Amino acid sequence: MVEQSPLWSVLLLPVALGALALFAASLNAGFAAAAAGRPVVAAELAGPLREGTRLLVRQRRRTARADVLLWRLGAGGIVVAALLASAVIPFGGFAVSDMPVGVVWFNAMEVLLWVLVWMVGWGGNSAYSLVGGYRFLAQGLAYELPLMFALTAPPLAAGSLRVGEIAQAQESLWFVVWMPVAFAVYLIGLAGVTFWGPLSSPASSDVAGGALAELSGIDRLMVLAGRYLMLAAGAAFAVPMFLGGGHGPLLPPWLWSVLKTLAVLGLLVWLGWRWPRVRPERLMTPAWLVLLPAVLVQVLIVGVLALARG
Amino acid sequence: MGLIGSVRRAAFTRPHLLLLTAPGAAEVRIAVERFARRRGWPLADSPADADALVEAGVLHGEMAEVAETVWRQLPAPSIRMPLAVPAEVEPGLADLPARLASWRPETGEEPEAAPELSMADRAEDRDGLKLDVLHVPLGPLLPHWPEGLRLVTRLQGDVIQHAEAEVLGLGPDTRSFWAVEDRRAARRLDAIARLLGVAGWTAMQWRCQALRDRALADEPRDRLVGDLKAAAARIRRSRLLRSELTGLGAVAGTGDAADRLHQWLTEVVHDLRAPGGELAGSHPSAAEWLDMLPDTVVGAELTAARLIVASVDLDTAEAEQRSTTGVHHG
C-alpha cells in the first residue's frame, strides 16, 4: 500500500522533480553534442546549468503592448502545473498525496498546459509567438482525446483511480505487457504536452521559436524549466501507470521507481532526436483515425479482461 | 565582484548567436555555422534569445535598416558583430564570451519607443467567414531562410492569403558564392541542411552541414562519398520526412519538395564522384523562382510555406532587384 508521506515531503518534491528534469536536459545536451560531432564530455552535460545561469543574468525584455499579466502567468504556471501533477506520483511506497482520484488529478494538471502555453504565445504580442500558441492548441485537439482514453486503461484494470493502487495491481504483471497501445499513446500524448521531438512545432525554429519567440531572461527560463519538469512528471507518472511502479527484485521500491523514470526519460529524449517534426495541420488525421480507434479497442480489451478476472 | 564576475563568465561561455546574412555572403555564414557547431554555441531563433547579432557579409540598403531594427530588440547584455569576410569569423567570435562577461550598459542612450503596431484587419477566409488578417513579413531574419529574401504575406490564422517576394540588400559588389562550378555539391548540401533544419530534423541537418564543410575543404573524395551515401540513404529511408514534403510546392519540371530533395541527393553523390558536367532535370534560375514563389506559397499553412521556400534552393545573390506578387484566387 502507498503511504501518505509526511507534510515536509512537499518540500522534497520540487527538488526530486527538478533533479529528474535536469537529468533529461543534460541528456538532451549530450545528444545535441553527439549529433554535432562533439565529444560528449562533462562540459556538454553541464549545458543546462550554464544555460540557466545565462538566462538569470540576462535582461527580461518586454515587447510593445505585451499582455504582461497573461504572459508571465503562463510562463510561471507551467512550472506550477508540473509540480502539482507530480504530487500524486508514488516513488516506491510514498506519495506526497495519494488522493482517491489521482489519475484525474494528473490529467487535469496536464490539461492546464493548454491555456498556459497559449497564454505564453498570446502574451508576447507577436505573430510568431501567437502562431506557436495556436499550434499547441491544434496539436492538443489531436492528441488529448487519445491520451485521455489511454489514461483510463490502467484504472479500469486496477479498479481504482488511486495511483498507488494501480501500481499495487501490477505486482505480478506490468500493465505495459497487456496494454502496449495505451502506453504508446500515452508517450505520444506526453510528447505533445511538452511539445517535444516530432511534436515540437509550437516552439520550433521555422516560426522563430514560436511560443518562445519573445521570451528572454527569467521568463524564458521558467518556460524551458517547466517543459522539462512536465516531461519528468510525465515520465515518472508512466511508472505506476504502466511499468509496475516500485515492483522489482532486490532493489528497494523507491529506487526501482527512479530507475524506471530515468529509463522512460532517456527513451523520450532519444526519440526526440531521431525524427523530423510533424506538421501541426497533419496531426489530426492519424490521431483520430488511427490512435483513437486503437486506444478504444485497447480499453475494450482491458475492460473485458478485467471483467473476466472478476 | 569576484563572484559576480565568475558567474557572468560562466553564463556567457557559449553565447547564442543571431545570424543575419547578406545575399552572397554564404561563405561567412558557413564559417559562423561551423564555428558554432564545433563549439556548441547555439544559433538563436529570435532576437529575444540572442547574445550577439552577427552580421555576415556587408549589409546594403534595407538589410542595414533591418539590422538596425533587430539590434534594438536584443536584450542586454548584447554585442553587435559585423563580420564582413570569413577571415574575421574566428577571431571575432572567439572574443565574444569575454566581451559579454565584461559588458557595461552605454550611458546616455535612451531606448527609442517602439513604433505603434497596426491592429489586425478582418476579411473573409477560405470558408467565407470573417477572420482576422495580419500583415506579416517573413524574413529576412528567420532561421534557415534564404539570405536577404523577404516574403511580405497576408495571413489569416496561419494560412497565407497573399504574398510578395523581394530580395533585400543587393549591392553593386554582390556576387554569388556558389557560382563556381566545383562548389555545386557543397551548395546542394547546404540546401539539404537548410530544408532538414526547417523540417526539424536537427541531427541530420548538422550531419549535412558537416559534410558540406568537408566538401568545401577539398578533402579526399573517396571517404566523403562514402559518408555522404550513408547520410543520403538515411534521409531517403525516412518515411515521415517524405510524407511531410510530398505535395508541397509542386512546380512543373521539378516536381514537389520531396522530389527536389531526392534530386539534390542524387546530384550531390554524382557531383562528388565526377565534378562538373551537365545537370539532369530542370533547374529554374533565381529570377524564375522569385516569380514562382509567391503563387506557390499562397494558400499554404505557415509550416508548409517554410518548407516550400526551403525546398527551392534559391540563391538570392543571383537575383536582380525587384519584387513579385502572388494572390489567392478562390
Side-chain angles (χ1 to χ4, degrees):
Chain A
M1 234 6 257
V2 171
E3 286 176 45
Q4 188 84 36
S5 307
L7 199 59
W8 55 261
S9 65
V10 174
L11 299 175
L12 198 64
L13 184 69
V15 179
L17 197 67
L20 288 172
L22 195 59
F23 166 79
S26 282
L27 194 63
N28 194 53
F31 273 105
R38 297 191 301 274
V40 183
V41 292
E44 299 286 353
L45 298 178
L49 292 175
R50 187 173 49 230
E51 189 61 19
T53 318
R54 171 182 166 269
L55 289 172
L56 280 175
V57 300
R58 298 211 76 210
Q59 183 193 1
R60 188 185 197 185
R61 200 198 64 173
R62 274 174 61 170
T63 47
R65 307 183 73 175
D67 197 331
V68 178
L69 181 66
L70 288 191
W71 206 16
R72 300 206 165 141
L73 274 180
I78 298 176
V79 172
V80 176
L83 287 172
L84 287 175
S86 64
V88 295
I89 302 170
F91 280 92
F94 297 97
V96 169
S97 167
D98 193 32
M99 59 178 84
V101 289
V103 176
V104 180
W105 171 265
F106 180 90
N107 193 209
M109 293 306 111
E110 161 261 303
V111 171
L112 271 182
L113 260 73
W114 280 54
V115 67
L116 293 171
V117 175
W118 179 83
M119 273 155 60
V120 170
W122 165 268
N125 193 24
S126 97
Y128 291 131
S129 82
L130 189 63
V131 166
Y134 276 109
R135 280 183 175 182
F136 189 86
L137 297 187
Q139 288 197 159
L141 282 176
Y143 71 72
E144 191 64 51
L145 216 50
L147 171 61
M148 283 179 172
F149 279 111
L151 284 178
T152 61
L156 193 60
S160 169
L161 285 167
R162 202 185 276 273
V163 185
E165 280 174 18
I166 294 171
Q168 203 61 37
Q170 300 173 65
E171 196 167 1
S172 51
L173 186 63
W174 293 6
F175 282 167
V176 67
V177 177
W178 52 298
M179 14 183 125
V181 177
F183 181 59
V185 169
Y186 175 77
L187 290 185
I188 294 172
L190 184 56
V193 173
T194 53
F195 37 106
W196 189 258
L199 302 186
S200 62
S201 69
S204 64
S205 62
D206 69 323
V207 281
L212 301 175
E214 303 297 341
L215 290 167
S216 62
I218 184 133
D219 298 315
R220 192 178 189 86
L221 180 61
M222 293 294 263
V223 174
L224 293 178
R227 182 187 190 207
Y228 276 110
L229 286 170
M230 195 69 222
L231 195 70
F237 189 65
V239 174
M241 289 292 272
F242 295 101
L243 302 175
H247 294 297
L250 297 175
L251 302 175
W254 68 266
L255 192 54
W256 271 117
S257 292
V258 171
L259 287 177
K260 289 174 186 176
T261 304
L262 295 182
V264 176
L265 273 177
L267 178 73
L268 283 164
V269 172
W270 176 65
L271 289 177
W273 279 92
R274 273 188 68 78
W275 288 308
R277 241 188 322 269
V278 180
R279 275 155 55 198
E281 80 270 24
R282 293 184 75 243
L283 206 60
M284 198 66 181
T285 313
W288 281 46
L289 291 185
V290 180
L291 292 188
L292 195 53
V295 79
L296 282 173
V297 170
Q298 171 80 85
V299 171
L300 178 72
I301 293 171
V302 169
V304 170
L305 286 177
L307 268 182
R309 290 198 314 185
Chain B
M1 192 58 221
L3 179 64
I4 291 175
S6 52
V7 165
R8 288 189 68 160
R9 267 195 303 282
F12 294 113
T13 44
R14 294 190 181 184
H16 294 211
L17 308 177
L18 186 67
L19 245 176
L20 183 65
T21 312
E27 195 176 8
V28 185
R29 169 176 60 82
I30 287 170
V32 174
E33 283 173 354
R34 187 175 56 228
F35 185 98
R37 204 178 59 248
R38 285 189 178 161
R39 304 241 181 157
W41 294 14
L43 294 179
D45 287 335
S46 66
D49 188 35
D51 300 303
L53 173 63
V54 177
E55 302 170 12
V58 182
L59 302 181
H60 293 285
E62 278 187 277
M63 281 296 273
E65 292 166 29
V66 168
E68 203 58 46
T69 312
V70 170
W71 168 239
R72 282 201 296 270
Q73 296 177 21
L74 263 65
S78 54
I79 305 273
R80 188 169 179 178
M81 179 159 289
L83 299 171
V85 292
E88 293 175 8
V89 170
E90 286 268 353
L93 291 180
D95 273 350
L96 204 50
R99 286 177 66 189
L100 280 163
S102 60
W103 183 89
R104 295 279 175 282
E106 287 170 36
T107 47
E109 196 178 325
E110 277 295 302
E112 282 178 51
E116 195 72 356
L117 299 176
S118 57
M119 299 292 283
D121 300 331
R122 303 193 121 197
E124 294 198 344
D125 75 350
R126 291 184 288 194
D127 308 318
L129 302 165
K130 282 274 184 214
L131 193 67
D132 283 2
V133 178
L134 278 177
H135 297 265
V136 179
L138 303 184
L141 184 88
L142 268 181
H144 332 294
W145 187 256
E147 291 101 18
L149 179 68
R150 181 156 69 186
L151 213 55
V152 183
T153 63
R154 226 161 47 214
L155 283 181
Q156 273 188 329
D158 57 2
V159 176
I160 295 179
Q161 300 294 354
H162 173 97
E164 281 175 44
E166 56 186 333
V167 177
L168 310 182
L170 288 172
D173 55 345
T174 301
R175 298 282 175 279
S176 169
F177 171 67
W178 303 113
V180 185
E181 194 164 70
D182 60 2
R183 287 183 187 149
R184 203 160 64 191
R187 172 181 177 164
R188 292 286 178 260
L189 280 166
D190 191 45
I192 293 167
R194 169 176 286 163
L195 180 57
L196 294 174
V198 177
W201 198 357
T202 311
M204 190 53 82
Q205 177 206 352
W206 288 340
R207 194 164 153 188
C208 288
Q209 283 185 351
L211 288 167
R212 170 199 69 191
D213 297 345
R214 285 166 65 188
L216 283 172
D218 290 325
E219 155 179 329
R221 294 304 189 212
D222 307 348
R223 262 190 58 207
L224 187 53
V225 170
D227 291 352
L228 183 74
K229 276 180 164 172
R234 180 77 183 82
I235 295 171
R236 286 210 168 95
R237 261 206 318 276
S238 172
R239 282 162 60 195
L240 179 57
L241 182 68
R242 171 174 279 275
S243 76
E244 291 297 301
L245 296 177
T246 300
L248 288 187
V251 166
T254 71
D256 60 17
D259 296 330
R260 287 193 286 272
L261 174 63
H262 289 272
Q263 175 71 20
W264 292 347
L265 290 169
T266 313
E267 282 173 15
V268 172
V269 176
H270 180 86
D271 263 356
L272 281 181
R273 278 217 194 108
E278 283 299 300
L279 286 178
S282 143
H283 287 82
S285 69
E288 287 168 320
W289 273 128
L290 280 175
D291 270 338
M292 286 187 277
L293 255 190
D295 278 330
T296 321
V297 297
V298 162
E301 197 263 356
L302 203 51
T303 327
R306 288 290 329 255
L307 287 167
I308 292 170
V309 172
S311 76
V312 302
D313 188 17
L314 171 65
D315 185 3
T316 47
E318 287 175 356
E320 294 153 40
Q321 272 162 334
R322 63 213 175 87
S323 70
T324 53
T325 309
V327 193
H328 187 48
H329 307 286

